Amino acid sequence: VKASLLDILACPLCGRDLALRAEPSVKGEIVTGILECASCRKTFPIERGVPRLSVGRELTRTSRGFAAQWRLRRNRRFERAGVLYGQDVAALVAWLFQTCLGDADSTLPWMLDAGCGTGEKAIACARQHPDLQVVAMDITDACDVWATASAGAPNVHFVQADVMHPPFKPRSFGRVMSWGVLHHTPNTRTAFERAASLVSDGGRLVVWLYPDPREDALAAAYYRVRDRHFLGIGHKLPNLLRFWLVRLYTMALAPIFLRYFTRVIKPRYRASGYVRLDNLTFFEKYNTMTFILYDNLTPEFQFRHTRDEVKQWFEAQGFGSLQTDGLGHHWGQRVRSAAALNRGDASQAASDSELARAF
Ligand SMILES: C[S@@+](CC[C@H](N)C(=O)[O-])C[C@H]1O[C@@H](n2cnc3c(N)ncnc32)[C@H](O)[C@@H]1O
Ligand SMILES: [Zn+2]
């Protein structure tokens, strides 16, 4: 971690400043140290270069499941590097910037990937946008093992923390993305509000959330696998058993999945440019399918939301210019209030207008 990250870090418990006690940095990286809250005195370690700022224990089953999933990926049991969920990571990130994040009306360099998993998307963001400082945050330590992969991207910062207790000052980020994460917490809406609170005025927020089955037939089929075929208990299985069951299941249903690829998935994503299934061999498609199904079963919570519901969450947090691609991505820009423009005091005015809305 670099010392510059301290500008935006805050105690995940009380929100106050954190003071750093660290051993001398190695090439600008702080590898070992302690962060201490100036107010509540709680301390958080920096280990192997990553500040460990998680609090609470409510997510242990989900985080253990995802940690195992990312270990399996690292051990090449799923897709190859650069391909995740059958998507080309670099192409998806380029699409996100073109469509959702690019013209944020904010000069803040900080961007957050909340629930980054291995951090591959965050690393791609940092590589494609060297002018940004990208924070990759996950509740697991999955990004640790991938941190070495970011050696070529000096503008990535890894943090282990819970999106329900984000260790950042409010409105520190000009761009926040949270891809496939918030619906895995005990309360998607609360998680959304916590992520949204980190976005500056004029900043952009993009989330990918599981669609409501009534609005998305493909998602509905996918949920049937979790809820019916695996009886809703996939997340309770030991990680390796889940892995082998998914492999068997995928093998048995391979002809159906291949038909799905050509008939449903290809036309659906044709315009997007980031799903490049044509470039994958049969075995790569098989691995993609096992990964996607494993990912479906891993988390304890998997809530599904309608487009209108998500739109209302954005609006309630003061976001405008709302858009969705109808495939699970939703994005918007935090409205810059007139008072903020006049006073040049963005954060104060924004909290004023939030208060005004509350009463
Ligand atoms: C479906 S994966 C998506 C990962 C990544 N965004 C990507 O696109 O590859 C969900 C991720 O959310 C993380 N996660 C779940 N609950 C979280 C929480 N409360 N705070 C932070 N991360 C969380 C999991 O550890 C997991 O890595
Ligand atoms: Zn504190």
Side-chain angles (χ1 to χ4, degrees):
V1 66
K2 292 118 196 139
S4 58
L5 185 67
L6 248 80
D7 294 350
I8 57 165
L9 279 185
C11 174
L13 288 170
C14 73
R16 306 296 287 274
D17 286 356
L18 294 171
L20 171 70
R21 280 186 274 132
E23 292 174 12
S25 56
V26 184
K27 291 187 198 153
E29 284 281 336
I30 301 159
V31 181
T32 314
I34 302 267
L35 291 160
E36 182 174 9
C37 174
S39 176
C40 75
R41 295 282 157 203
K42 170 96 176 126
T43 57
F44 305 91
I46 299 172
E47 292 162 352
R48 299 188 298 284
V50 179
R52 316 283 166 178
L53 291 150
S54 359
V55 290
R57 302 183 137 262
E58 67 273 23
L59 283 154
T60 43
R61 180 173 268 154
T62 294
S63 54
R64 261 190 262 124
F66 275 118
Q69 177 172 324
W70 300 130
R71 268 197 308 278
L72 286 163
R73 173 166 171 80
R74 188 195 54 200
N75 295 337
R76 304 199 179 277
R77 306 311 291 268
F78 293 123
E79 302 164 286
R80 63 174 145 94
V83 179
L84 198 49
Y85 300 94
Q87 299 167 336
D88 181 304
V89 176
L92 173 65
V93 164
W95 179 86
L96 283 170
F97 270 84
Q98 252 162 33
T99 318
C100 321
L101 292 170
D103 33 303
D105 186 14
S106 165
T107 52
L108 295 179
W110 292 101
M111 165 169 180
L112 174 67
D113 183 356
C116 64
T118 57
E120 289 160 272
K121 286 187 179 72
I123 293 168
C125 291
R127 291 222 167 107
Q128 291 178 22
H129 299 274
D131 48 323
L132 295 180
Q133 296 293 326
V134 183
V135 180
M137 174 185 99
D138 201 272
I139 197 151
T140 70
D141 61 2
C143 47
D144 284 34
V145 287
W146 292 74
T148 43
S150 73
N155 52 333
V156 188
H157 312 252
F158 292 103
V159 172
Q160 190 176 358
D162 183 347
V163 71
M164 294 301 243
H165 304 279
F168 304 106
K169 295 176 183 153
R171 292 168 201 253
S172 296
F173 295 91
R175 292 168 180 85
V176 173
M177 69 177 270
S178 187
W179 205 98
V181 178
L182 306 175
H183 45 221
H184 296 319
T185 66
N187 188 319
T188 318
R189 182 176 186 153
T190 307
F192 178 89
E193 288 170 3
R194 305 264 156 99
S197 74
L198 304 172
V199 182
S200 67
D201 278 9
R204 291 279 171 105
L205 171 64
V206 56
V207 297
W208 189 88
L209 293 172
Y210 279 123
D212 184 281
R214 287 162 300 182
E215 293 178 348
D216 192 316
L218 182 62
Y222 184 62
Y223 303 147
R224 273 199 294 281
V225 176
R226 177 184 165 100
D227 301 342
R228 300 213 194 137
H229 304 184
F230 283 84
L231 308 171
I233 58 158
H235 64 283
K236 293 187 182 158
L237 301 173
N239 298 320
L240 269 183
L241 178 62
R242 186 186 310 123
F243 176 74
W244 286 110
L245 283 178
V246 162
R247 279 184 80 85
L248 282 174
Y249 178 92
T250 314
M251 190 56 88
L253 297 184
I256 296 180
F257 289 136
L258 286 176
R259 216 180 62 215
Y260 251 91
F261 271 139
T262 37
R263 296 239 183 116
V264 182
I265 300 178
K266 254 170 78 173
R268 180 178 154 112
Y269 286 100
R270 187 162 289 138
S272 73
Y274 54 75
V275 176
R276 297 186 178 164
L277 296 168
D278 285 337
N279 300 343
L280 303 181
T281 64
F282 170 80
F283 282 107
E284 284 176 326
K285 282 185 190 136
Y286 174 68
N287 285 340
T288 286
M289 213 56 235
T290 56
F291 176 74
I292 291 177
L293 290 182
Y294 189 98
D295 185 83
N296 186 14
L297 301 181
T298 298
E300 183 168 5
F301 308 105
Q302 190 205 69
F303 298 112
R304 299 132 192 185
H305 302 280
T306 63
R307 290 172 205 162
D308 269 349
E309 203 179 352
V310 180
K311 193 161 168 248
Q312 280 161 22
W313 300 348
F314 270 98
E315 279 164 355
Q317 296 307 304
F319 284 78
S321 315
L322 305 180
Q323 290 188 58
T324 175
D325 64 352
L327 302 172
H329 290 105
H330 305 262
W331 62 98
Q333 176 160 309
R334 192 188 277 286
V335 175
R336 197 185 276 272
S337 61
L341 287 174
N342 290 342
R343 271 192 278 155
D345 178 354
S347 58
Q348 186 54 45
S351 57
D352 286 352
S353 64
E354 222 164 58
L355 271 179
R357 265 195 304 278
F359 290 103

